Amino acid sequence: MDVIEDGAARSLALSLGDKAWQRQVSGAVAQGKAVGLHGLTAGSATKGAAGFGGHIAKADRQVADAKGLGADVDSLLQVRLVGAAAEGVEPLVASSPSDDNAAVVVAYDSTGKAYELAADHAPDRPVYLVDVDTDKATEAGMKVLQKELSAAGLQSPVAAAPVNSAAAATGFWTTRVTSVTVNDVKEPWFKGAAEIFDLVTGFGLDGKVRVDTVTMPYLDDAKKTYYPNQILVNWSLYKYNLADVVMMEDDGNTNYSSLAKALAAVLLTITDQGAYIPLVNAVIDAMPSSWWTDDPDYVESWYTLATTTTGTRTGASGNGTMTFDRYWVSAL
């Protein structure tokens, strides 16, 4: 991923030698929002965009493959402005290093000359930052994850309840998140907004380990409290009155297909012993060691949530808190 994004950044920098194209890019990112590179080039008739368009189309395909998303996902590479634009100052173009602890960020000018920017503080000149649209990637990744977890037997279908049963007639209990705060979302200046997702684990109705995914796309900033009123655990899917939650963050490099396979390889070896077994450590152990640099980041975990769990609970590592309540979902 680093090589793909760095190549796209250098190619974009070189294309900005075309002043007409440079003005279009500048205008597109001036509002501080990320802009898709494929759409940006497709909407331009400039020479610089034409030359860059072929490179970005190839890079987009490579990114989708690297993330295990397949060929049907939309274009993922985007560009955003870091720092304020300055009159007469040519922006550099950089990409996000995969390592949050990188000492430098390599950037390029329109001649291809490389510059090293300090990674521990925001740059003092404008920089166009090329990275992956993690909103779009996480949405597509959750579909891949769910499909592959289901195929591996970690999301078993729920047998229909008899039509005259109380469950079918009335509804089911859930655990709902009424507020959530994370002290560190693992995002230095050269990364975009955090893309948080949760892996909810327990034993399904068939007695096998079950993994459900829950995204928290609103949770962008550290030390800010959000109030989503979001359902986290659907207790009708679980055999025991306990489940665990592992919160993770994808900032561009997660291969969702590989993540599903890694989870399956470990979790399918755990059998129902007639009592609940905590699964947080098994989920964490399933992650390849290379992923602990950035792909994806472990954020926090909560052990043994129950249908009766209410109030605020701090996660096991002390990095985050969630407030829970019981929420009854009524049948129609």
Side-chain angles (χ1 to χ4, degrees):
M1 286 290 294
D2 278 3
V3 173
I4 300 169
E5 291 181 39
D6 180 73
R10 188 173 186 277
S11 181
L12 175 59
L14 290 170
S15 74
L16 295 178
D18 177 353
K19 298 303 180 184
W21 168 235
Q22 184 184 105
R23 287 191 295 271
Q24 289 184 0
V25 173
S26 176
V29 302
Q31 302 304 315
K33 296 182 179 180
V35 179
L37 284 169
H38 174 75
L40 195 57
T41 56
S44 173
T46 64
K47 181 178 179 181
F52 178 60
H55 182 102
I56 202 62
K58 179 180 179 181
D60 266 323
R61 290 193 298 271
Q62 291 172 330
V63 167
D65 288 344
K67 294 183 69 59
L69 297 178
D72 58 342
V73 68
D74 289 339
S75 171
L76 292 174
L77 285 170
Q78 61 182 14
V79 62
R80 56 192 169 89
L81 175 65
V82 177
E87 186 70 28
V89 179
E90 177 185 311
L92 300 176
V93 185
S95 61
S96 298
S98 62
D99 185 359
D100 283 355
N101 298 313
V104 298
V105 176
V106 178
Y108 303 95
D109 66 17
S110 60
T111 70
K113 180 181 177 181
Y115 299 77
E116 291 188 348
L117 307 178
D120 59 357
H121 62 271
D124 57 5
R125 64 179 295 176
V127 175
Y128 293 150
L129 196 64
V130 173
D131 58 10
V132 171
D133 183 338
T134 47
D135 281 340
K136 193 182 295 184
T138 302
E139 181 181 357
M142 290 299 103
K143 294 178 182 178
V144 170
L145 195 57
Q146 291 164 5
K147 179 180 178 181
E148 298 208 16
L149 289 174
S150 179
L154 292 170
Q155 284 191 347
S156 57
V158 181
V163 293
N164 61 349
S165 72
T170 58
F172 53 90
W173 281 108
T174 68
T175 291
R176 183 172 64 169
V177 179
T178 58
S179 71
V180 56
T181 307
V182 177
N183 294 326
D184 181 5
V185 293
K186 312 297 182 184
E187 293 297 79
W189 71 263
F190 50 83
K191 295 295 177 71
E195 286 302 319
I196 300 294
F197 64 94
D198 301 309
L199 302 176
V200 181
T201 61
F203 285 87
L205 301 178
D206 58 358
K208 297 179 181 179
V209 172
R210 179 182 180 90
V211 181
D212 289 293
T213 60
V214 177
T215 58
M216 293 183 163
Y218 50 84
L219 210 169
D220 290 334
D221 299 323
K223 298 181 172 62
K224 178 179 178 180
T225 300
Y226 297 84
Y227 302 92
N229 290 324
Q230 180 180 26
I231 291 175
L232 184 66
V233 187
N234 176 352
W235 291 106
S236 70
L237 303 176
Y238 292 88
K239 177 179 180 180
Y240 297 111
N241 181 31
L242 291 172
D244 299 326
V245 177
V246 176
M247 179 182 284
M248 310 202 78
E249 183 265 335
D250 172 21
D251 46 12
N253 296 307
T254 307
N255 185 304
Y256 288 95
S257 180
S258 295
L259 174 57
K261 290 178 173 63
L263 289 169
V266 172
L267 296 180
L268 288 175
T269 66
I270 301 173
T271 57
D272 183 7
Q273 302 297 316
Y276 182 74
I277 303 169
L279 297 170
V280 168
N281 289 351
V283 170
I284 293 174
D285 289 344
M287 305 299 169
S289 59
S290 62
W291 288 4
W292 293 101
T293 59
D294 200 45
D295 190 13
D297 285 332
Y298 165 79
V299 177
E300 186 55 282
S301 53
W302 287 262
Y303 289 79
T304 57
L305 299 183
T307 56
T308 56
T309 298
T310 59
T312 300
R313 288 184 57 176
T314 300
S317 70
N319 186 42
T321 60
M322 284 200 280
T323 302
F324 306 103
D325 71 359
R326 302 178 71 202
Y327 186 73
W328 177 255
V329 177
S330 300
L332 291 174

